[in-house]
Amino acid sequence: MTLKDSTTLKQLDSAHHLHPFTDFKALGEEGSRIIVDAHGVYIRDADGNRILDAMAGLWCVNLGYGRKELVDAATQQLTQLPYYNNFFKTSHPPAVELAATLCRLAPQHMNRVFFTGSGSEANDTVVRMVRRYWALKGRPQKHWIIGRENGYHGSTVAGMSLGGMAPMHEQGGPCVPGITHVRQPYWYGEGLPDASCEDPESFGRRCAEALEARIQELGADQVAAFIAEPVQGAGGAIIPPDSYWPAIKEVLDRYDILLVVDEVICGFGRLGEWFGSVHYDLTPDLMPIAKGLSSGYLPIGGVLVGDRVAETLIEEGGEFYHGFTYSGHPACAAVALKNLELMQAEGIVDKVRNELGPYLASRWKALEAHPLIGEARSLGLIGALEIVADKASGQRFDKALAVGNLCRDICFETGLVMRSVGDTMVISPPLVISRDEIDELVRLAERALDETLRRLEAQGVSIASCEQVES
Ligand code: PMP
């Protein structure tokens, strides 16, 4: 493809392309930024700007850009067998090998995988499997699935129903019936501002009590599963208090409820373990995966299935009426396999746990000294900054100011991709980022925060009181 010039590309984009999670009209007026190539942790736009991608694309380019080994794996597979399906008693080597490799890397009790094309499709599969499991156990009334407010599990109808994003429910409803949501373990956003919450640990336990209360309300014999991300990603890189997961586990065990751990972001090294479930010592029944599985080079997802559920589906289930044309697509599977091979050969997961995660944490925490930052948190290579109007009280800026979006746009101008979730700035850089690049990331973030502060002050926004000063 010969590249059209930047202005023509922007015009054509505005004229014909409806972007995901985008205000179509606003983007049509502003125009988009066209990304043309990338290497390592940097992307480059059609206007020639080099930008440090601290979001690894969309939480997925874990091995960084420009890995020839992944390109070669795709080319080789596309040449040999570009497509065949896994329906009707057929299979192919990349799907077989990827399934076996994943089950070797997964927690010991997970020995089966069902492939999908994305994380959303993985979560659709979760709904089908969970309900099928309980039906096969002779308890079809056990059908409620409990998710969390502000959780994210995808954008298909089932994915958005499992997720707890209120604006998505308002547009996409009615949601899939039999799904409900409980409070999220968001200490800075919901625990700290609540005068009755003493500390993060008691808040974490309180969130587990909220889950138990909902189970009792619905009736334990009606509740099939609880679904959650180990660390909430799209909700704002929300790291739960240490008390949270042990307390949740106890509740689920008490009522015989399946645990679904959505590893779409946390899986494949992001938290310094192969899976977030390992970091939090969880024993999931189902683990949806995607994104980092192929470092985003080609689309692939899946659900890792624990023995308890798998054995029931296999022994008692007969045909499972579910699957996708691209379940286990050969080229995607070959790239994922090569991606996992490279991650192992390069010791990426250990490096995140022992070196890069702690290094980022120390540099990132220093941003708490900035006048706009109420909290800087990170775990492994995921992190967040809470932008506040008043550091002492944690008071937020008026929503209408859209300070997070302002900061995100300034980041782009500064040469950094950092995403905003309300006024929470999040990062999730490629796992191959170096210490020097982490230094640069933090420097650019600080520069963007300084510029955000300067522009707010120029607008007459008061920083310590959250009130707009009349000029
Ligand atoms: N689960 C989680 C935790 C996610 O973060 C995402 C995507 N951001 C999804 C599921 C959906 O994945 P996809 O966009 O590949 O459908």
Side-chain angles (χ1 to χ4, degrees):
M1 184 182 94
T2 48
L3 202 59
K4 295 185 170 60
D5 66 83
S6 160
T7 312
T8 311
L9 284 168
K10 286 180 188 177
Q11 279 165 356
L12 290 171
D13 194 59
S14 295
H16 302 297
H17 184 183
L18 299 177
H19 291 233
F21 280 93
T22 294
D23 177 334
F24 303 140
K25 188 165 177 221
L27 186 71
E29 284 158 8
E30 279 170 43
S32 49
R33 185 183 289 269
I34 312 275
I35 308 303
V36 288
D37 56 39
H39 188 78
V41 300
Y42 296 95
I43 56 173
R44 197 172 58 89
D45 69 19
D47 298 317
N49 298 302
R50 183 174 183 255
I51 303 160
L52 197 164
D53 181 10
M55 280 305 298
L58 213 47
W59 328 78
C60 56
V61 187
N62 287 1
L63 275 188
Y65 298 95
R67 293 300 301 250
K68 186 162 181 313
E69 304 94 321
L70 299 181
V71 179
D72 290 346
T75 309
Q76 200 277 330
Q77 188 57 46
L78 287 168
T79 310
Q80 187 169 338
L81 179 72
Y83 177 77
Y84 204 73
N85 62 70
N86 295 289
F87 289 43
F88 318 128
K89 302 187 194 168
T90 58
S91 197
H92 47 67
V96 176
E97 286 193 44
L98 181 60
T101 303
L102 278 169
C103 294
R104 190 166 49 71
L105 296 172
Q108 225 180 350
H109 70 288
M110 309 196 88
N111 291 296
R112 299 285 192 319
V113 60
F114 189 102
F115 288 119
T116 67
S118 68
S120 299
E121 287 177 6
N123 281 315
D124 273 55
T125 303
V126 159
V127 175
R128 304 284 307 270
M129 278 188 176
V130 158
R131 291 188 173 158
R132 180 83 183 123
Y133 170 79
W134 286 115
L136 289 168
K137 286 283 160 205
R139 302 172 74 184
Q141 76 287 358
K142 221 166 151 62
H143 74 287
W144 278 95
I145 302 178
I146 304 179
R148 301 185 301 185
E149 290 157 11
N150 199 36
Y152 188 83
H153 301 294
S155 194
T156 52
V157 175
M160 73 99 184
S161 303
L162 290 170
M165 299 285 177
M168 289 177 79
H169 293 170
E170 280 157 25
Q171 287 185 352
C175 294
V176 171
I179 297 174
T180 180
H181 304 87
V182 292
R183 74 180 306 182
Q184 55 178 336
Y186 184 14
W187 166 249
Y188 194 81
E190 296 187 3
L192 191 61
D194 178 349
S196 71
C197 280
E198 300 123 43
D199 55 64
E201 300 319 320
S202 53
F203 174 66
R205 285 188 290 275
R206 230 188 242 207
C207 293
E209 283 160 19
L211 171 63
E212 181 160 26
R214 183 66 54 85
I215 293 167
Q216 287 172 345
E217 218 172 278
L218 295 166
D221 60 339
Q222 306 279 316
V223 180
F226 173 66
I227 180 166
E229 303 152 80
V231 167
Q232 277 155 271
I238 296 164
I239 302 165
D242 290 343
S243 61
Y244 179 74
W245 275 115
I248 291 282
K249 271 190 343 184
E250 261 181 49
V251 171
L252 299 177
D253 287 348
R254 197 171 309 139
Y255 297 100
D256 193 18
I257 290 167
L258 298 177
L259 171 60
V260 183
V261 181
D262 185 334
E263 296 274 3
V264 168
I265 285 179
C266 295
F268 308 105
R270 175 88 22 222
L271 305 188
E273 297 287 351
W274 276 99
F275 297 95
S277 297
V278 176
H279 176 83
Y280 286 113
D281 192 24
L282 304 176
T283 312
D285 293 290
L286 299 169
M287 287 199 317
I289 52 174
K291 294 192 189 272
L293 168 57
S294 63
S295 280
Y297 277 54
L298 285 178
I300 183 165
V303 182
L304 277 155
V305 185
D307 293 340
R308 171 183 177 187
V309 173
E311 275 155 25
T312 301
L313 295 177
I314 294 165
E315 296 304 325
E316 300 162 38
E319 180 167 349
F320 186 48
Y321 300 116
H322 178 70
F324 304 99
T325 300
Y326 301 123
S327 284
H329 185 285
C332 305
V335 168
L337 197 57
K338 179 57 75 176
N339 178 60
L340 298 180
E341 195 183 302
L342 292 170
M343 286 192 66
Q344 291 171 91
E346 294 170 17
I348 303 277
V349 176
D350 287 349
K351 203 162 172 204
V352 172
R353 182 179 53 245
N354 300 329
E355 186 195 334
L356 296 172
Y359 187 67
L360 174 71
S362 67
R363 301 287 284 111
W364 196 242
K365 198 72 186 161
L367 291 172
E368 261 178 24
H370 195 277
L372 284 180
I373 300 304
E375 181 181 78
R377 58 176 177 268
S378 72
L379 176 62
L381 287 185
I382 190 168
L385 300 172
E386 299 284 6
I387 297 184
V388 289
D390 183 348
K391 282 165 81 85
S393 66
Q395 175 79 52
R396 301 282 184 172
F397 285 104
D398 184 342
K399 271 202 175 81
L401 291 168
V403 176
N405 285 355
L406 171 69
C407 181
R408 179 199 59 199
D409 293 346
I410 292 171
C411 282
F412 253 123
E413 292 165 22
T414 312
L416 176 68
V417 182
M418 189 155 61
R419 176 161 164 189
S420 57
V421 179
D423 286 352
T424 306
M425 305 307 298
V426 298
I427 56 161
S428 171
L431 306 184
V432 293
I433 193 167
S434 67
R435 283 172 174 245
D436 285 351
E437 288 161 346
I438 289 176
D439 290 344
E440 187 186 350
L441 188 168
V442 174
R443 232 180 2 254
L444 289 169
E446 194 168 15
R447 199 181 300 161
L449 289 169
D450 287 346
E451 178 59 17
T452 306
L453 179 60
R454 198 192 62 73
R455 290 202 206 168
L456 288 171
E457 284 171 344
Q459 281 179 50
V461 177
S462 161
I463 303 306
S465 70
C466 182
E467 282 158 14
Q468 189 120 26
V469 175
E470 295 294 330
S471 53

